[in-house]
Amino acid sequence: MTRLIMRRGPQPGKIFDLDGEIVTVGSGMKNGIVIQDNDVSREHCRLIRVMADYELHDLNSVRGTFVSGQRLKAGWLLKPGNVIELGDNVTLEYERAPAKVELTKINTQSAPKHVNKPSAKSHPYLVATAGMKIGEVFALEKETVRIGRDQNNEIIIANSAISRLHLILRWKDNGYEVEDQGSTNGTALNGAVLQPKEPQSIHSNDVINVAATIELRFTWQPDDVKNETEADKRSIPSTKEFLQRETADNKSVTQPNSKRQTSKLGTGLQSGALLDHVFITYARPEWQSIIVPMMALMQDAGLKVWVDQYLIQGGDDWMIAVEQALSECKVLVVVVSPEALESRYTRLAYRYFFNREKPIVPVLYAPVDDMPLELKKHSVITYNSADRKKTFDELITEVKRLKG
């Protein structure tokens, strides 16, 4: 949990816990945090939750809102230790409460030096971490390793979601590259969906997601992965505990040069990689029924799409990737259903876009009792199960219009 501590002002030492999606600060009694001081406007500033932290916005206050001595002209993603000044009289320090859970970290492993090509004596592995027998190990002893459900592949995965030839690993320049082969349900590397026939280099501890069902860890030390997998299964922190844990450094949405260390896998995303993308938010159980075909048609239409399907919700890597997607993606598509609207992550996404007046396209997938205000203000596309291509064509047209 994050909080503000008053260092200077009418109540020095007072702690204000931050636990809402939006927290307003001002002298008026309707604010979430009320500070009675002549320098504080009735509605002085607003904090908007972004993952584990808050983004601070000035509300045209008379005396101004400052962070580390700089007057706010736009949103500022707060980091632990930031000093907030309201006018000249009030100083608040932003901090994160001590974490209750410490996550086990694993060492980053490197490929042995002078490995010209894999062999029976020296080779990396893929270790199953989800979607099949946990801890199952596949030795990568050949320069080309094909993965799919067909019996001719080097690694056979008997699952209907996997294409006959789903992906290929190829050895190149002392390491493997992964390449999707135009599979039906796609391949992702550290959460980033791979474009067919566009190889990407892989490194130790990278995660390959085959469709939405299989997760494989690339490693030179398979025992470490198996041990870690079992430890994770014995003690999985709750989402709340994930959000409470300490972070050594914090990546800022509004200050793109600042960095935060990822946990185990990395996000696979470079700064600026999502600037022309469409962010889709949805209920994860609806992935196969609507998101997979929606993404396929959008990509066929030349649109770049980003989803968080292949990252663990609540983890460091997920937080960093979603922060980047919220900041960089140009349009948000919200697949609306009762399950989606119950998700705080879906609410966070559409409120973030709404508060910044960024384009939102709601797609009503299943009837809901009450459409949120933030979505009512936009033209809603209703999903037609009898002719879903018509629905997706309408969506593509609207997204292209909003992208300009």
Side-chain angles (χ1 to χ4, degrees):
M1 177 179 289
T2 52
R3 59 191 183 184
L4 297 175
I5 302 176
M6 185 176 290
R7 298 304 185 191
R8 183 162 58 94
Q11 297 175 290
K14 184 174 177 60
I15 296 175
F16 303 95
D17 289 325
L18 303 174
D19 56 8
E21 299 295 325
I22 299 177
V23 181
T24 57
V25 181
S27 59
M29 297 307 295
K30 292 184 178 180
N31 291 288
I33 296 177
V34 178
I35 300 176
Q36 299 287 347
D37 188 274
N38 291 335
D39 269 16
V40 179
S41 298
R42 179 171 292 276
E43 293 181 349
H44 197 102
C45 58
R46 176 189 295 131
L47 297 104
I48 302 172
R49 188 193 294 277
V50 181
M51 300 296 97
D53 289 299
Y54 282 84
E55 191 173 80
L56 179 65
H57 294 258
D58 183 74
L59 297 177
N60 297 317
S61 61
V62 176
R63 297 289 186 180
T65 304
F66 302 79
V67 178
S68 301
Q70 300 183 46
R71 185 161 187 164
L72 291 189
K73 295 181 180 180
W76 184 295
L77 188 66
L78 295 170
K79 298 185 292 184
N82 280 162
V83 174
I84 303 167
E85 297 171 282
L86 309 182
D88 295 326
N89 296 334
V90 177
T91 300
L92 304 167
E93 183 178 355
Y94 177 79
E95 70 167 31
R96 187 172 293 119
K100 295 182 179 180
V101 175
E102 293 184 3
L103 297 183
T104 301
K105 305 291 183 179
I106 62 174
N107 294 326
T108 301
Q109 306 141 9
S110 301
K113 295 181 179 179
H114 310 303
V115 177
N116 295 321
K117 61 181 181 179
S119 65
K121 293 183 178 181
S122 179
H123 58 80
Y125 305 81
L126 290 178
V127 180
T129 52
M132 52 196 304
K133 184 179 179 181
I134 302 298
E136 186 171 359
V137 176
F138 303 96
L140 304 177
E141 300 179 359
K142 296 182 178 180
E143 293 183 68
T144 300
V145 179
R146 297 168 298 173
I147 301 175
R149 75 171 191 270
D150 191 272
Q151 294 298 311
N152 292 323
N153 293 297
E154 281 71 33
I155 296 179
I156 302 168
I157 303 178
N159 187 302
S160 60
I162 309 302
S163 297
R164 290 185 179 278
L165 175 56
H166 201 103
L167 68 146
I168 292 178
L169 300 181
R170 291 190 180 92
W171 186 264
K172 182 180 179 181
D173 299 333
N174 200 43
Y176 275 105
E177 292 182 336
V178 58
E179 180 182 303
D180 183 82
Q181 299 300 297
S183 62
T184 302
N185 293 321
T187 305
L189 178 64
N190 298 327
V193 178
L194 299 180
Q195 298 301 314
K197 304 296 183 177
E198 294 186 10
Q200 297 288 328
S201 298
I202 56 176
H203 308 282
S204 292
N205 287 324
D206 280 354
V207 166
I208 300 171
N209 291 95
V210 188
T213 56
I214 308 299
E215 182 178 281
L216 302 169
R217 175 82 63 82
F218 180 80
T219 179
W220 289 84
Q221 299 176 13
D223 288 338
D224 286 354
V225 175
K226 288 190 290 183
N227 292 338
E228 180 214 7
T229 300
E230 293 305 315
D232 287 347
K233 288 175 71 65
R234 288 193 297 270
S235 178
I236 301 176
S238 67
T239 299
K240 181 178 179 181
E241 289 168 336
F242 267 121
L243 296 177
Q244 287 177 330
R245 70 181 179 272
E246 289 285 0
T247 305
D249 195 7
N250 187 33
K251 176 179 178 292
S252 170
V253 170
T254 50
Q255 300 94 42
N257 290 328
S258 61
K259 297 180 180 179
R260 183 174 65 196
Q261 185 177 354
T262 57
S263 59
K264 303 170 187 174
L265 311 180
T267 65
L269 298 174
Q270 299 297 320
S271 178
L274 302 179
L275 286 174
D276 196 37
H277 282 61
V278 178
F279 184 1
I280 303 178
T281 183
Y282 53 94
R284 285 202 171 190
E286 293 159 1
W287 167 254
Q288 289 287 353
S289 59
I290 181 171
I291 306 304
V292 169
M294 175 190 289
M295 286 180 58
L297 287 179
M298 292 178 75
Q299 289 171 341
D300 288 346
L303 295 171
K304 297 178 181 178
V305 178
W306 189 84
V307 296
D308 72 342
Q309 182 70 24
Y310 303 105
L311 293 170
I312 300 173
Q313 286 187 334
D316 276 339
D317 310 300
W318 176 84
M319 289 184 188
I320 294 170
V322 172
E323 283 178 2
Q324 182 173 345
L326 290 171
S327 174
E328 295 183 355
C329 287
K330 200 166 186 179
V331 178
L332 176 71
V333 173
V334 183
V335 179
V336 181
S337 68
E339 291 78 10
L341 296 186
E342 288 177 2
S343 167
R344 69 177 303 272
Y345 305 127
T346 297
R347 296 196 301 270
L348 182 149
Y350 68 67
R351 287 172 180 170
Y352 185 98
F353 270 68
F354 178 79
N355 289 328
R356 288 151 188 81
E357 299 182 350
K358 296 177 69 173
I360 301 174
V361 183
V363 177
L364 183 60
Y365 178 57
V368 295
D369 293 334
D370 188 24
M371 184 73 75
L373 176 64
E374 295 90 342
L375 301 182
K376 283 182 180 178
K377 293 181 177 292
H378 300 272
S379 178
V380 178
I381 296 172
T382 302
Y383 179 76
N384 182 352
S385 59
D387 189 358
R388 67 182 186 181
K389 186 177 184 302
K390 181 179 179 181
T391 303
F392 296 152
D393 287 344
E394 184 180 352
L395 169 64
I396 290 167
T397 299
E398 179 64 7
V399 169
K400 287 185 173 182
R401 182 186 73 81
L402 292 171
K403 289 187 68 181

